[in-house]
């Protein structure tokens, strides 16, 4: 066995500069075999390690320092409530049937089970002109983000909300779209950052936004929890039409929308000509471990030469993906049944109540709090503070894991994100601890 397999996993939690030292001086000098293949230079451009492994590393060190502390994690947005029984039962029955000649299935369609695609359209896109052949079932929104990046290629220019989910920027860096990191600003030179803050109602000033080929836009937004209004999304669609841009619209949290804000970009007239929509069962149905999502690519969406984008996306899917798990898709169908959908929406309501408890907690301490009503996330402002310092302060004083806002882009500095995903008893205990912050 090669010695390489004994490398500590802590290596992968270190910033890029540390990795370079390890790679140039540590691993090589220790006698490890090296190939003659150069490292992908785009990966060297990544600012640091990925946000959530860094948080995990700090959590581990905190637990080593306080071995008896009961740490509450309100950081990573992972669901905690059990799957509805009809959903779990449908997957169990499907899996059990695979042991029989009658019930065994192999490869399915790369684009997904036809019945599931039809139910996705009926449930989420009724009267929005979306066809089942425009729906591509997948193993989750984050995987689809990478497939969309493969579709777009390395020569496109991109814009992102600031703050936004770090996967948009990191995947762009890996694809070679980003340019070089500017250390003084924390921004990549070829990425346009659209500032979204309380001062502009968490929606960019499009009159001052440069044209890009692609616009990544998430609503309800992760991390701020803001759901764009119909008027705001109409502006976005018109901006994309004017500039000939493609919107990659992330609606992973649409099930949490409580007001009249659109749940799909396709509620906006003209959007089928300029938008791809990515969505997921993860935060809606508790499928973070099951893995199931979908992407919609309208037939009207065309490249500059008139070629349909959907045909290229279908080719990407058929080349890189063998289709979502048949068992997971059986669970997805159960989620969209009358009984299943009622139960998964009750889980959504549970997490929204958790978020409300956290909103009320921070508001009672006098902090400016955003989100929590149309999303499971609470976005708290700590003026004149660095978000990693706030993260460390809260962890040290309350043994609660949060997420520093700077991890979502420069526009997140001075904020922390807190997740409503958790068991109610943990949320109530966290609320109790957090109320001691200023004591």
């Amino acid at each position: 066995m090669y010695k390489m397999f004994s490398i500590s996993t802590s290596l992968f939690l270190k910033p890029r500069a540390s990795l370079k030292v390890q790679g140039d001086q540590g691993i090589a000098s220790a006698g490890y075999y090296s190939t003659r293949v150069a490292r992908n230079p785009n990966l060297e451009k990544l600012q640091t390690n990925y946000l959530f492994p860094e948080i995990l590393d700090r959590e581990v060190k905190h637990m080593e320092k306080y071995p008896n502390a009961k740490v509450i994690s309100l950081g990573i947005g992972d669901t905690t409530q059990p799957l509805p029984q009809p959903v779990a039962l449908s997957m169990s029955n499907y899996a059990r049937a695979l042991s029989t000649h009658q019930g065994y299935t192999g490869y399915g369609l790369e684009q997904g089970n036809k019945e599931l695609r039809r139910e996705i359209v009926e449930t989420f896109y009724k009267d929005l002109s979306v066809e089942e052949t425009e729906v591509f079932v997948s193993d989750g929104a984050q995987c689809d983000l990478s497939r969309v990046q493969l579709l777009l290629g390395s020569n496109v220019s991109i814009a992102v909300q600031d703050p936004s989910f770090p996967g948009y920027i990191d995947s762009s860096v890996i694809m070679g779209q980003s340019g070089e990191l500017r250390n003084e600003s924390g921004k990549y030179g070829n990425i346009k950052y659209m500032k979204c803050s309380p001062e502009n109602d968490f929606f960019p000033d499009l009159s001052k936004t440069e044209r890009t080929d692609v616009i990544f836009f998430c609503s309800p937004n992760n991390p701020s929890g803001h759901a764009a209004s119909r008027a705001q999304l109409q502006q976005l669609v018109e901006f994309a039409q004017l500039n000939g841009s493609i919107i990659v619209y992330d609606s992973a949290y649409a099930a949490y929308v409580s007001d009249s804000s659109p749940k799909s970009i396709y509620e906006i007239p003209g959007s089928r000509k300029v938008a791809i929509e990515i969505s997921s069962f993860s935060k809606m149905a508790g499928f973070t471990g099951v893995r199931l999502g979908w992407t919609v690519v309208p037939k009207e969406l065309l490249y500059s030469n008139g070629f349909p984008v959907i045909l290229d996306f279908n080719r990407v899917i058929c080349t890189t993906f063998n289709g979502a798990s048949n068992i997971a898709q059986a669970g997805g169908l159960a989620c969209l049944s009358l009984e299943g959908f009622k139960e998964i929406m009750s889980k959504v309501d549970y997490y929204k109540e958790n978020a409300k408890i956290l909103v009320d907690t921070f508001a009672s301490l006098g902090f400016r709090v955003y989100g929590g009503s149309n999303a499971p996330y609470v976005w708290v402002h700590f003026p004149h503070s660095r978000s990693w310092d706030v993260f460390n302060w809260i962890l040290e004083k309350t043994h609660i894991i949060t997420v520093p806002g700077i991890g979502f882009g420069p526009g997140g500095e001075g904020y922390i994100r807190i997740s409503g995903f958790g068991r109610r008893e943990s949320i109530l205990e966290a609320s109790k601890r957090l109320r001691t912050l200023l004591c």
Side-chain angles (χ1 to χ4, degrees), residues 50-282:
Y50 193 62
L51 173 63
F52 296 107
E54 170 67 20
I55 291 172
L56 176 61
D57 189 39
R58 295 191 183 211
E59 180 180 355
V60 169
K61 291 176 180 176
H62 182 79
M63 294 176 72
E64 290 173 352
K65 182 178 179 181
Y66 301 101
N68 296 320
K70 293 183 179 180
V71 175
I72 298 175
S73 180
L74 301 180
I76 187 169
D78 194 4
T79 52
T80 57
Q81 289 300 102
L83 296 176
Q85 188 155 349
V87 175
L89 185 61
S90 70
M91 291 190 284
S92 174
N93 289 341
Y94 194 100
R96 190 178 296 111
L98 290 174
S99 67
T100 69
H101 286 292
Q102 297 82 2
Y104 177 77
T105 57
Y107 289 126
L109 294 172
E110 292 95 339
Q111 301 84 357
N113 178 302
K114 288 184 177 180
E115 185 181 358
L116 177 57
R117 296 163 82 189
R118 185 164 53 250
E119 288 301 316
I120 287 172
V121 169
E122 183 66 21
T123 303
F124 302 108
Y125 303 104
K126 193 172 184 179
D127 302 324
L128 297 182
S129 301
V130 174
E131 301 176 17
E132 64 181 78
T133 53
E134 298 172 322
V135 176
F136 295 80
V137 177
S138 71
D139 51 348
Q142 189 156 356
C143 297
D144 271 352
L145 171 61
S146 297
R147 295 181 188 111
V148 168
Q149 287 282 31
L150 283 175
L151 169 79
L152 299 170
S154 59
N155 293 325
V156 296
S157 56
I158 73 160
V160 298
Q161 293 160 288
D162 184 24
S164 66
F165 175 60
Y168 309 140
I169 290 177
D170 282 7
S171 62
S172 297
V173 175
I174 293 170
M175 282 297 298
Q177 302 163 347
S178 67
E180 298 295 330
L181 177 67
R182 297 172 177 172
N183 290 322
E184 68 279 4
S185 65
K187 298 179 179 180
Y188 288 92
N190 292 345
I191 296 178
K192 305 304 178 186
Y193 293 75
M194 304 183 297
K195 186 172 179 59
C196 297
S197 66
E199 289 70 32
N200 62 8
D201 196 21
F202 294 101
F203 189 78
D205 183 350
L206 297 178
S207 68
K208 299 179 180 178
T209 301
E210 295 182 38
R211 183 216 174 261
T212 58
D213 296 316
V214 181
I215 303 167
F216 288 98
F217 198 91
C218 178
S219 181
N221 178 262
N222 175 16
S224 72
H226 175 75
S229 69
R230 193 169 303 276
Q232 288 176 333
L233 290 182
Q234 186 67 58
Q235 288 182 52
L236 182 66
V237 168
E238 291 174 358
F239 179 77
Q241 290 175 326
L242 178 66
N243 290 289
S245 304
I246 293 177
I247 301 166
V248 179
Y249 189 81
D250 185 345
S251 64
Y253 300 94
Y256 289 82
V257 172
S258 304
D259 57 21
S260 60
S261 302
K263 295 183 178 181
S264 168
I265 191 66
Y266 301 122
E267 295 182 39
I268 307 302
S271 59
R272 286 179 56 82
K273 295 182 179 180
V274 295
I276 294 170
E277 181 163 301
I278 299 175
S279 200
S280 173
F281 284 86
S282 289

Side-chain angles (χ1 to χ4, degrees), residues 261-317:
S261 302
K263 295 183 178 181
S264 168
I265 191 66
Y266 301 122
E267 295 182 39
I268 307 302
S271 59
R272 286 179 56 82
K273 295 182 179 180
V274 295
I276 294 170
E277 181 163 301
I278 299 175
S279 200
S280 173
F281 284 86
S282 289
K283 308 302 169 64
M284 169 181 66
F287 272 33
T288 51
V290 175
R291 308 307 306 150
L292 193 67
W294 71 89
T295 290
V296 178
V297 185
K299 294 176 181 177
E300 294 96 318
L301 183 63
L302 307 176
Y303 291 112
S304 58
N305 66 356
F307 192 82
V309 175
I310 189 173
L311 298 183
D312 274 357
F313 190 69
N314 185 66
R315 181 62 183 268
V316 169
I317 292 295

